Amino acid sequence: MLREPAVTHARRISISGVVQGVGFRPYVYRLARECGLHGWVLNAERGVEIHVEGSEDRLERFARRLRAHPPPAARIAVVETADAAVQHFGDFEIRISQKHTIPTVRVSPDLPMCGDCLRELFDPADRRHLYPYINCTNCGPRYSIVRSLPYDRARTTMAAWPMCAACLREYEDPLDRRFHAQPVACPACGPQYALEIDGETLRATAAIERAAQLLCDGAILAVKGIGGYHLACDARNAVAVAALRERKYRKERPFAVMARDLAEVRAIAEVDEAARELLESVARPIVLLPARETLDGVAPENDEIGVMLPYAPLHHLLFYFDAPRALVMTSANRSSEPIAYEDDDAQARLRGIADALLVGERPIARRVDDSVMRPAAFGAAVLRHARGCAPQAVAQIESRQTILALGGDLKNAIALAVNGTVFLSQHVGDLEQRSAYDAFRQTASDLCAMYEVSLPGAIVVSDAHPQYRSSALAHELREDAVSVQHHRAHVASVLAERGAWDDRVTGIAFDGTGYGDDGTIWGGEIFDGSLRDGLKRVAHLRPAQLPGGDAAARYPVQCAAGFLAQIDAPPMCEPPFGFPRERYDRSREMLAKNVRVFTTTSVGRLFDAFAAIAGFTREITFEGQAAMWLEHLARSHHGAMAAYAFRFDDGELDFRLALQQAVNDRVNGRDPAEIAYAFHAGLANAIVKACEAIGNERIVASGGVFQNALLLELLFERLGDRLWINRSLPANDGGLALGQIALASVR
Ligand code: ZN
Ligand code: ZN
Ligand code: FE
């Protein structure tokens, strides 16, 4: 007969990270029992606490398996293990949680539906068969339903639905997959979906089935999802797509597509291994992929398409009921407003856009858009940090000070440092619109409330731009708000992500617009220094005068007029250039008279100028459009390699020669794709030249321009792993807030 080995050792294990609300305790419970250990597990202030006792080799096995295979949704930050006194427990149990004093516990981002729930959803024998709010501890909403911490049902938007006896049994059983799954529900006790159509209201399965049918018939539907409403229509119905563009006032900006499954994604776009991983990753983001199929009106003049897989049970149900295999799924709003997430607001705002609303009863606590990512040879790029990502910890800082950073006015996102951990909010958007500004204020107070931060004791930091709305709020919150220069914050965001406080680096910050130390608009800046000692601007793009204020950013031709004023330009209104005469002449006039012109070092605007020369002579309808167009044009180049020449002299990156070469090439009939490529390659060479002159081994690149995957490829070819870029943050202004915190923390 086998005898139980003697209980000789005990260990206390503390685990921090995203470990609550993700099935960690039941997992530990099962694992401890499997390993034949006694003791307990509980949710503590900073994560999960475990006491295990047994023989030494069993404890070893337990620790090994805990590290190697944590629950799928958990994100372990730190594991601390210490020897403890053996207390001879007779069993292993899940203990009642300790009262939280400071909620430093991390809220899990929303999770996509898991495989077990998917099987139950389509199992006719299961009591949640076809139930759109099915979930378990391994999946389902988190951040989007939490009203306050700690995370338990009474503080979520599920508080209004008391569990039925069957759900409660699962909820209370440590061996059940739904043990303490806060949003657990079933058709008997939980919320449902409803659809109002032709004066009648359909509920539950009938509503979803009808919605799928309406989509097949070419209707535009507003569909309530996890973090807000989507506007959906058949992606292969050009009439529906055109109607959606018209009703939403969205001219050309690409729509995202939700594909029924991976096979369908492959029909639409090129999917390599890295792309598949991203598509199936926990964030289930919109993944930008090379398009294979042209879906009329979905991504006009774009060889890339944004595709995502279903992530909520409702999405799977729509496809199950034969909705079109590829659906446009775009944030429900008009042009640049924030996404609608409250039912009354959605009814009011979407009435003129959607033919019908498929409304779920579970309220959404806060808006969270879909995240956007792009796979790349040098690692995935996050372009929009939102659902499935927020509010994850993005960095650790040394200071224990509470710091609130408000980001910038474009692609706004907010960051909060609590006890040395920095949390980044979901993407908020552009703040010019009143409704977006309200969303911004709401997100700032929401983030502070969630972590019980009081502002009187905190440092508040914002961009140095005196006219930014985010800067104004910073000063409203605290008179002594700190400001951080835009491009230093970009460089700092990369260093902070890596915890590189002392590395001396050359920092390249290229973007569209940022307020400079001298009050002009910067955007082509090169720094030397470190996070701790500060970043000194040592070089920049040669300044240009651009005519017409904000309009310069909307009309590449207007931008081109400014840059071209520094070289011998031929008549640009004639072929092959064909610049619109009135706009170009007016720009030249402003430049000649020196009225309504501004000085800038913006590389974003330099991209616009080269785009105009290569043929993009109309107005842009979304930010970055001309630069994206130029990048895609360059990728279509298959000729001899060439690069335009930028000079680097005395801290100035001089574009004049490159500009002259591009103009001459165009006059001489060179393929615009070659011109676009030669510009990218020339700029990459110029960066390398500047880095050689400055001399640091380590190079850091951030700012909106580095969303350009071709430019990054060319840079990695030249610099290899000397180059650091953002990892889990966007390189655009969505990552500014972390840089602001990092620089404010060492001030
Ligand atoms: Zn599940
Ligand atoms: Zn129930
Ligand atoms: Fe920027």
Side-chain angles (χ1 to χ4, degrees), residues 131 133 145 153 156-162 182-185 190-191 362-363:
Y131 181 56
Y133 287 111
I145 60 164
R153 189 171 179 105
T156 70
T157 61
M158 282 299 291
W161 288 274
Q182 303 306 343
V184 75
R362 185 178 68 204

Side-chain angles (χ1 to χ4, degrees), residues 114 117 135-136 139 177:
C114 73
C117 286
N135 65 80
C136 71
C139 77
R177 207 172 87 245

